[in-house]
Amino acid sequence: MGNTGKNFLGDISLFRMWGVQMSPLQLEACRCVDGNIVTWREQDWDYQKCPPIEDDNFMCESSKYKIQMNTAITQYLNNYNDYSENDIQEIVLIWLKHIFPQKISVHSVFLSNLSPQKGAGLAGQNKEEIQGIGKPPIKTQWFDCVVFVRVIPGADVSKTVSMIQGMLIPSYIYKNIILKTNPASINILSVAVYPNVTSNPALTTVAPVLSQTTKSPDTGSTNVTSSTSGTRTSLQTQTICSNTLGFISNRDFGDIFYRVYLNLTMSGSITDPQHTIQQWLQQTLGKCNMDVWNLVIKGVPKYVTTFQVQAMAPVNVSATERLIFELLTKGYTNATISISVPSGEVNIIHIDPGLCPEETMLTVYGIYMWPEMTAQSEYSMGCIRGNESATRFCKLNGATDRAGWDHPDMSKCIRTVSDFDDLENITVTADNSADIVDMIEDLLNEQPDLTDAQLDIVLEKLSEVTEVGTLTTDLSSDITKIVSDICYIKTSPTQVNKILSITDLMGDRTVFEGDAHNMTAPSLALQLINPDTSQFHGLTFEVSSLLNDSTPEIFYDKNFTEHPDKGTAAFISLPHTIESFFPNNGARPRVQFHFYGTEKLFEDPTANMTLNSYVVSASVTNATVSNLEIPVMVTLRHLQNKEDWGIVKCVYWDFNKNNEKGGWNDKGCETVTSNATHTSCSCNHLTHFGVLLDISKTPISAKDERILTIISYLGCGISSIFLGVTLLTYLAFEKLRRDYPSKILINLSIALLGLNMLFLVNSWLASFNSNAICITVAAFLHYFFLATFTWMGLGAINMYLALVKVFNSYVPSYILKFCALGWGLPLLVVSLVLAIDINSYGTSFSRALFQESTAFCWLKNDVTFYVTVVSFVTLVMVCNICVFAVVLVQIHKMRANKPSSSRKGFLHDLRVVASLTFLLGLTWILSFVAWGPAKTPLLYLFSLLNSLQGFFIFLFYCLMKDSVRKQWRIHLCCGRFRQTEYSDWSRSVTLGAKAKGGLQVSSPSMKSETTSERKSSDTSNSGTSHDEFRKRQAKLNGHFTRGHSRSCEWQGEDLQICECSAFVQNVDLQCKPTEGE
């Protein structure tokens, strides 16, 4: 080609020309010969003797076309109307709407060179063919017409051109009008851009009218008004609204918009002024095909009102403005309300909202290209995947009076992005940020366990969203939930800093109204505050509890305090001195607090201590806060209680440690106070804070802790069942509860049953989050706990009195005094605690079955716990151990005096020791010695034995006791298993094995004389009469029967064994002198 461009010789193949530079990837995706620099027609080329050869192998695909044609409009003279150019424009629109399918929409129409030709025929026809014989004469007008259309979806250019051309050739009859296009004049070209419909004053423009929306699953559609009867003002409308036509200018064929300001007064029965005014405006203006949008009212009773009006095309701007004024100033009156609008307080302004721009969106549902659309119109196109449609509304903004796109509705479409590889290939923009976040949520729901590579993709996209996206409160809340889920995924050391950076940047860029906004999710919470610098006195952030779904419950205060409330899970307070780090450019500062409710995220492989608290952080936007004169106060609750010898350390997360992978550092932080449940720290800078615990001295693991919890719950449940059976047995059979030890056993079983039942339902009752309920449950649990140990101690005292102080130990109202002490002492202790500080009871936290903090109603005050629980248990245990030692010594003495020691006797003694161990609660000693390397196995033994204490009481004092089994067989068995009850149950009872001298002691109810009595009666000079000896023995037996059972056998294998044996030994000693006589 020469410089002039006139001597072009050669071939052109796959010729493309664009006005912008494209990347190779964009060129490969472009399938159409789009030329926005040069366009041409075939007849424009002088190809001389070498005609062009069409090549259909190259698919040229386009959605925008320009149609050029020469058209005639013909009327019969007997029904002739002198149509203006504007009228013809509307007729052309009606024609095109009628012949085009749904997938072809008209963008704009240009008419020119309108020339009347009376009596002329249509193009390509003879006059006679039109008129015919006897037909009235006709009038024909020719004009050039340029139409721009859109075809959705885009298709092959050659096929689309042929289709459109075939639609334009047939004649079209509208009322008394015939439209016919000269086929030789039709020229259809694909174009890259549409012209501005108002930019060419030489041409008349008809913009598309948008009132009806047609949708197809396969094609896009715009809203083109159909000028049929009943839906649009006809050409000859005679109603009041016909005044809006007047002289329709070139631009008036699109919908017209106005901004209206007016002041009105209302009177009558008005409940909702906004709804009343909206209804009045819609009724008043709606009858003239006008809609009211974005109504805003202020003031009472004179309402300052503003709104927008959309007048449906075709209308005249000035005429419509006058009509709106007339309709509004008429006011409104009915039986209940009256509306008046003074004519001097109405201002109507014509506005041009423009068009919603053409926009290509890269979404998780695929790539969608939204065309230019007029305000208050909806566009729909088929989903890339699925048979439904995606829609998007072009909305008139109530504040700016400009057209703008709403978010597209793609809820019926199927996502084209189905895995993390697809997610990686998507470019994050401000428009698709919400879609990216939604997709990440879906992927995490489908695949909760991610590889390191997949997690890297997720974190990278979240980082891009927080950098370029518009972070509304809803979008930030969604990101918060995702980060919360990620906290439970095992992360690599390099990913922790990335997660913390995402939450920090999100907190900085989140847009919200007001001074504060918070976002919570399971195991994560953010509190964002825009403080008032003129009244800044510090800030305090506190997490009071974790709810059932592990969602933190957070609070903040606009003051600085050094000490948190009781029961706080995490607390951080900033002094007023951080104000010096606020921006000095006039911008309002932002302070953000973060709370991480899981320790799994913060793993430092180089630390020899483990994180024993949740993590809390504070920061000031665009500032590094350090070297504070007044330190930041931080208090964190321990995840597991610290032992007295435990070592804790206040630390912060150092982003630069471990080659910028992050790790714990204690520089600038000091431990102020630390107890079993909380540690308080002071730090001179802001970052992420935590508390480390020396794990070398606490070997119990989370897995062991879960197993121990399961053992405790199962054991308490089993014990509760067998304690109930034990109580029913002793209460049902009166003969079993005649002696004092049985009555003590009944009271102990009641207290232990209450303790077990309250332990089982404690967490469930605590889940109601009611402070009153939790205090009540904790108080009752404390009461039954103390009552259980009190009755174990009373059992030991009773055993001591029966074993050591057999004689001269009679106590009047013995069992009544025991009951007063056993139930009254715990009541006194609990009452004092409630009177001194009722808040000593409440919600504490424990590590539950699934390693999450679970609410538990118990003592919260450490001092109260050590005074009323630890010291009380220690005192009872010391007493019971002493009694137990005395019993062991006595059993040893009795075994030494036996003629022979057999294996059966050893097993019997072992059973006696075991029964006393559970009756006296000696298994609780394990809690005092469970430390060091043996801590874990001792805790397993402690949980197993103590949770099953009720079962062992049933085993030794019901199942293995002869008298209880006898009563079961008498009253519960039938047939050959049933045992016949003796007529006199206490007729003859052996008090023990025979004494060394063959002495046998009978009960007072026996009528026969004893051997001793017979010997005394046969000796005349014994010095002791037979009557005196009978009185002496009656005194001994009377003392025994007042305190002990009349049916006491060595084979009884219970608490009474030792008592009866001791009694026999003492009787033996008393009887020997008599025998000597």
Side-chain angles (χ1 to χ4, degrees):
M1 180 185 295
N3 293 335
T4 62
K6 296 181 180 180
N7 53 350
F8 179 25
L9 299 176
D11 299 328
I12 294 180
S13 175
L14 302 179
F15 177 75
R16 304 188 188 190
M17 184 179 294
W18 291 276
V20 294
Q21 184 177 357
M22 294 189 181
S23 65
L25 184 62
Q26 291 173 314
L27 287 175
E28 290 178 5
C30 190
R31 299 179 57 196
C32 181
V33 184
D34 291 331
N36 59 2
I37 302 299
V38 179
T39 60
W40 62 85
R41 299 177 299 174
E42 183 179 346
Q43 54 266 38
D44 295 335
W45 289 82
D46 182 10
Y47 45 82
Q48 297 179 359
K49 298 179 181 180
C50 183
I53 301 175
E54 294 184 2
D55 183 3
D56 296 333
N57 294 327
F58 179 70
M59 295 296 295
C60 181
E61 196 176 89
S62 179
S63 61
K64 301 176 184 178
Y65 294 88
K66 173 183 178 182
I67 305 172
Q68 296 172 307
M69 56 186 172
N70 188 245
T71 307
I73 180 171
T74 302
Q75 301 181 68
Y76 293 104
L77 294 179
N78 61 348
N79 194 18
Y80 175 76
N81 288 313
D82 188 13
Y83 291 130
S84 66
E85 185 174 328
N86 295 327
D87 297 334
I88 296 175
Q89 291 169 340
E90 185 174 358
I91 295 172
V92 170
L93 267 180
I94 296 172
W95 166 49
L96 295 175
K97 170 63 179 176
H98 183 267
I99 65 174
F100 284 158
Q102 294 178 345
K103 67 178 183 178
I104 301 179
S105 58
V106 178
H107 175 271
S108 54
V109 176
F110 297 87
L111 303 182
S112 63
N113 301 325
L114 185 62
S115 58
Q117 295 183 9
K118 280 191 178 182
L122 296 179
Q125 288 184 318
N126 296 324
K127 180 178 178 180
E128 290 77 9
E129 293 181 284
I130 298 298
Q131 287 182 280
I133 301 174
K135 296 287 183 71
I138 62 174
K139 175 184 178 181
T140 301
Q141 291 177 287
W142 289 93
F143 57 91
D144 291 330
C145 182
V146 179
V147 181
F148 289 88
V149 297
R150 179 184 298 276
V151 180
I152 299 296
D156 179 59
V157 172
S158 60
K159 294 180 180 179
T160 304
V161 168
S162 299
M163 177 184 65
I164 296 176
Q165 190 169 12
M167 296 175 184
L168 295 174
I169 292 176
S171 300
Y172 175 71
I173 300 176
Y174 175 75
K175 295 185 178 180
N176 65 327
I177 299 171
I178 301 175
L179 283 177
K180 180 67 176 179
T181 299
N182 183 1
S185 67
I186 298 177
N187 183 57
I188 305 174
L189 301 172
S190 66
V191 295
V193 294
Y194 292 127
N196 190 332
V197 296
T198 61
S199 63
N200 190 350
L203 296 177
T204 305
T205 304
V206 180
V209 183
L210 308 166
S211 61
Q212 298 175 351
T213 302
T214 57
K215 300 180 182 178
S216 171
D218 300 320
T219 62
S221 62
T222 53
N223 306 324
V224 181
T225 300
S226 174
S227 299
T228 58
S229 175
T231 62
R232 225 13 135 192
T233 304
S234 68
L235 298 176
Q236 305 296 330
T237 302
Q238 298 299 321
T239 64
I240 184 175
C241 300
S242 62
N243 294 331
T244 60
L245 288 174
F247 174 75
I248 301 176
S249 64
N250 295 338
R251 64 179 180 178
D252 296 341
F253 275 86
D255 290 354
I256 306 300
F257 294 87
Y258 301 88
R259 164 66 70 177
V260 179
Y261 300 92
L262 59 86
N263 297 329
L264 61 86
T265 56
M266 280 194 304
S267 59
S269 178
I270 304 169
T271 56
D272 187 351
Q274 178 86 16
H275 176 72
T276 302
I277 296 175
Q278 179 77 42
Q279 191 175 27
W280 164 63
L281 292 173
Q282 199 60 54
Q283 290 178 356
T284 302
L285 302 178
K287 62 186 178 183
C288 291
N289 290 331
M290 288 183 278
D291 289 323
V292 177
W293 307 109
N294 302 315
L295 173 65
V296 178
I297 64 172
K298 296 179 181 179
V300 175
K302 189 172 185 178
Y303 297 92
V304 179
T305 309
T306 181
F307 54 90
Q308 295 155 328
V309 176
Q310 178 185 7
M312 306 301 178
V315 291
N316 178 269
V317 173
S318 301
T320 305
E321 184 176 326
R322 289 193 300 272
L323 177 63
I324 294 173
F325 180 85
E326 293 173 2
L327 292 174
L328 293 177
T329 52
K330 286 182 178 179
Y332 179 79
T333 303
N334 64 10
T336 58
I337 63 170
S338 176
I339 301 175
S340 62
V341 181
S343 58
E345 299 191 22
V346 179
N347 184 21
I348 304 172
I349 303 172
H350 171 249
I351 59 176
D352 183 9
L355 302 174
C356 288
E358 180 180 299
E359 183 178 4
T360 300
M361 291 186 65
L362 181 64
T363 71
V364 295
Y365 302 96
I367 301 176
Y368 288 81
M369 184 178 68
W370 303 101
E372 291 180 345
M373 292 294 294
T374 56
Q376 294 302 120
S377 60
E378 185 180 77
Y379 186 82
S380 64
M381 66 174 70
C383 297
I384 294 178
R385 288 187 61 184
N387 297 323
E388 300 295 335
S389 297
T391 59
R392 197 177 188 189
F393 191 73
C394 179
K395 185 179 181 180
L396 179 62
N397 189 289
T400 63
D401 293 334
R402 300 294 299 173
W405 284 113
D406 258 354
H407 290 294
D409 180 10
M410 300 181 181
S411 57
K412 298 181 180 179
C413 299
I414 301 174
R415 295 181 185 273
T416 58
V417 180
S418 58
D419 55 30
F420 291 96
D421 292 334
D422 294 335
L423 175 64
E424 186 177 15
N425 295 327
I426 294 180
T427 302
V428 178
T429 65
D431 294 325
N432 68 0
S433 295
D435 292 328
I436 297 294
V437 172
D438 290 340
M439 179 189 172
I440 294 175
E441 284 185 303
D442 292 341
L443 290 176
L444 289 178
N445 291 333
E446 296 171 1
Q447 184 179 342
D449 296 327
L450 305 182
T451 64
D452 286 344
Q454 291 171 338
L455 185 55
D456 284 337
I457 294 174
V458 171
L459 295 179
E460 183 62 31
K461 293 304 173 183
L462 288 178
S463 179
E464 293 176 7
V465 168
T466 55
E467 290 174 1
V468 305
T470 302
L471 298 186
T472 62
T473 54
D474 291 338
L475 182 57
S476 294
S477 295
D478 292 339
I479 297 175
T480 302
K481 294 176 183 177
I482 293 175
V483 175
S484 175
D485 293 338
I486 292 175
C487 288
Y488 289 104
I489 301 174
K490 185 171 180 58
T491 57
S492 65
T494 58
Q495 294 168 335
V496 178
N497 286 355
K498 189 77 169 180
I499 294 173
L500 301 182
S501 298
I502 289 172
T503 54
D504 286 341
L505 183 58
M506 179 183 65
D508 290 339
R509 298 191 65 245
T510 298
V511 180
F512 61 90
E513 296 181 356
D515 295 335
H517 177 73
N518 67 73
M519 297 171 287
T520 58
S523 300
L524 180 62
L526 284 80
Q527 178 71 61
L528 310 180
I529 303 172
N530 297 330
D532 184 1
T533 56
S534 62
Q535 299 178 350
F536 184 76
H537 306 292
L539 287 172
T540 298
F541 172 73
E542 183 175 353
V543 180
S544 63
S545 65
L546 298 179
L547 304 181
N548 295 334
D549 58 353
S550 297
T551 300
E553 186 177 356
I554 60 177
F555 304 93
Y556 82 96
D557 184 27
K558 295 181 179 181
N559 291 288
F560 172 74
T561 179
E562 295 185 2
H563 305 290
D565 296 332
K566 295 180 180 179
T568 298
F571 164 89
I572 181 169
S573 188
L574 309 183
H576 65 87
T577 53
I578 68 167
E579 186 178 5
S580 60
F581 295 90
F582 290 169
N584 52 14
N585 56 1
R588 194 168 185 182
R590 173 169 295 183
V591 178
Q592 55 176 310
F593 298 96
H594 296 179
F595 171 79
Y596 295 87
T598 175
E599 74 281 10
K600 291 183 178 180
L601 179 64
F602 301 89
E603 293 185 357
D604 184 359
T606 63
N608 57 358
M609 304 176 74
T610 186
L611 182 63
N612 192 37
S613 70
Y614 299 122
V615 175
V616 64
S617 73
S619 62
V620 177
T621 301
N622 299 325
T624 301
V625 180
S626 59
N627 299 321
L628 291 170
E629 295 180 1
I630 302 177
V632 176
M633 300 304 299
V634 181
T635 299
L636 298 171
R637 186 178 64 216
H638 301 156
L639 298 181
Q640 65 180 49
N641 287 349
K642 179 178 73 69
E643 305 291 348
D644 293 338
W645 36 260
I647 299 176
V648 296
K649 182 183 294 186
C650 295
V651 292
Y652 71 94
W653 188 259
D654 186 352
F655 283 78
N656 298 320
K657 194 175 180 181
N658 297 328
N659 296 324
E660 298 186 351
K661 295 179 181 179
W664 293 112
N665 194 335
D666 61 349
K667 184 178 180 181
C669 291
E670 296 181 358
T671 302
V672 179
T673 60
S674 181
N675 55 31
T677 58
H678 290 77
T679 293
S680 296
C681 312
S682 65
C683 299
N684 62 4
H685 56 274
L686 295 185
T687 183
H688 302 78
F689 301 103
V691 173
L692 298 183
L693 176 67
D694 189 351
I695 59 176
S696 62
K697 297 183 179 181
T698 56
I700 184 170
S701 64
K703 179 180 178 181
D704 291 327
E705 194 168 359
R706 291 195 298 271
I707 296 175
L708 289 171
T709 303
I710 294 174
I711 292 175
S712 299
Y713 276 97
L714 290 178
C716 288
I718 294 172
S719 289
S720 298
I721 295 173
F722 286 100
L723 282 171
V725 175
T726 302
L727 283 173
L728 288 176
T729 298
Y730 276 85
L731 293 176
F733 306 131
E734 187 271 339
K735 292 181 179 180
L736 296 178
R737 60 177 189 273
R738 289 177 176 176
D739 53 39
Y740 291 162
S742 296
K743 294 177 180 179
I744 293 175
L745 181 67
I746 291 173
N747 284 275
L748 174 60
S749 299
I750 294 174
L752 193 57
L753 179 62
L755 178 64
N756 287 336
M757 295 298 293
L758 279 175
F759 176 80
L760 291 173
V761 301
N762 194 305
S763 295
W764 175 67
L765 294 173
S767 66
F768 290 99
N769 296 315
S770 171
N771 191 45
I773 293 177
C774 205
I775 290 176
T776 303
V777 172
F780 274 101
L781 184 65
H782 191 201
Y783 174 75
F784 281 109
F785 181 86
L786 296 179
T788 298
F789 278 89
T790 303
W791 279 108
M792 287 191 293
L794 291 175
I797 293 174
N798 177 70
M799 192 180 303
Y800 175 79
L801 293 176
L803 182 64
V804 180
K805 299 290 185 180
V806 175
F807 301 99
N808 301 323
S809 61
Y810 173 71
V811 179
S813 303
Y814 184 75
I815 199 65
L816 291 179
K817 292 179 179 179
F818 265 39
C819 288
L821 185 62
W823 297 109
L825 180 60
L827 181 62
L828 177 63
V829 173
V830 173
S831 299
L832 287 175
V833 173
L834 290 173
I836 295 173
D837 184 8
I838 192 173
N839 291 321
S840 295
Y841 296 112
T843 305
S844 61
F845 291 84
S846 63
R847 305 285 285 184
L849 298 180
F850 303 103
Q851 203 181 356
E852 294 181 1
S853 291
T854 300
F856 193 85
C857 298
W858 184 232
L859 288 166
K860 296 192 301 182
N861 188 286
D862 293 338
V863 176
T864 305
F865 174 78
Y866 283 108
V867 171
T868 64
V869 175
V870 177
S871 60
F872 191 89
V873 171
T874 302
L875 181 64
V876 173
M877 286 295 100
V878 170
C879 173
N880 290 4
I881 290 172
C882 294
V883 172
F884 183 71
V886 172
V887 170
L888 291 182
V889 171
Q890 190 67 25
I891 291 177
H892 177 71
K893 288 181 179 180
M894 287 187 294
R895 183 57 58 193
N897 294 331
K898 296 285 287 182
S900 62
S901 179
S902 63
R903 181 174 180 272
K904 180 179 179 182
F906 172 76
L907 293 177
H908 169 267
D909 293 345
L910 185 63
R911 287 161 60 181
V912 170
V913 171
S915 65
L916 291 177
T917 299
F918 289 103
L919 188 71
L920 300 179
L922 300 182
T923 54
W924 284 83
I925 298 174
L926 295 173
S927 63
F928 294 91
V929 297
W931 57 277
K935 179 176 183 178
T936 299
L938 287 176
L939 285 179
Y940 272 97
L941 190 62
F942 171 82
S943 298
L944 185 65
L945 296 179
N946 284 291
S947 63
L948 291 174
Q949 184 179 4
F951 167 74
F952 287 113
I953 288 176
F954 167 80
L955 179 66
F956 290 114
Y957 298 99
C958 282
L959 194 61
M960 299 178 67
K961 186 173 181 180
D962 289 339
S963 59
V964 174
R965 292 201 306 270
K966 178 180 178 181
Q967 291 300 307
W968 283 349
R969 294 184 62 185
I970 291 173
H971 297 284
L972 302 180
C973 296
C974 58
R976 64 187 181 90
F977 298 101
R978 181 180 179 88
Q979 181 174 335
T980 303
E981 185 175 9
Y982 296 125
S983 58
D984 188 357
W985 189 66
S986 60
R987 178 178 299 172
S988 178
V989 180
T990 302
L991 294 177
K994 292 182 178 180
K996 293 180 181 180
L999 177 65
Q1000 185 178 21
V1001 182
S1002 302
S1003 69
S1005 62
M1006 298 177 62
K1007 296 181 180 180
S1008 61
E1009 295 179 347
T1010 64
T1011 304
S1012 299
E1013 291 171 343
R1014 287 196 299 269
K1015 289 183 178 180
S1016 299
S1017 62
D1018 293 338
T1019 306
S1020 58
N1021 53 358
S1022 59
T1024 304
S1025 68
H1026 173 72
D1027 292 337
E1028 289 175 348
F1029 182 81
R1030 287 181 59 86
K1031 291 180 181 180
R1032 183 180 182 185
Q1033 186 179 12
K1035 181 179 179 181
L1036 293 174
N1037 290 331
H1039 171 80
F1040 175 73
T1041 55
R1042 283 194 299 269
H1044 311 286
S1045 173
R1046 297 180 182 181
S1047 176
C1048 183
E1049 300 179 357
W1050 176 258
Q1051 292 81 9
E1053 299 170 352
D1054 65 350
L1055 174 64
Q1056 302 168 41
I1057 297 171
C1058 300
E1059 299 174 6
C1060 297
S1061 301
F1063 179 72
V1064 170
Q1065 299 288 338
N1066 283 291
V1067 170
D1068 186 23
L1069 294 175
Q1070 294 291 334
C1071 292
K1072 282 182 178 179
T1074 304
E1075 291 177 347
E1077 296 175 0

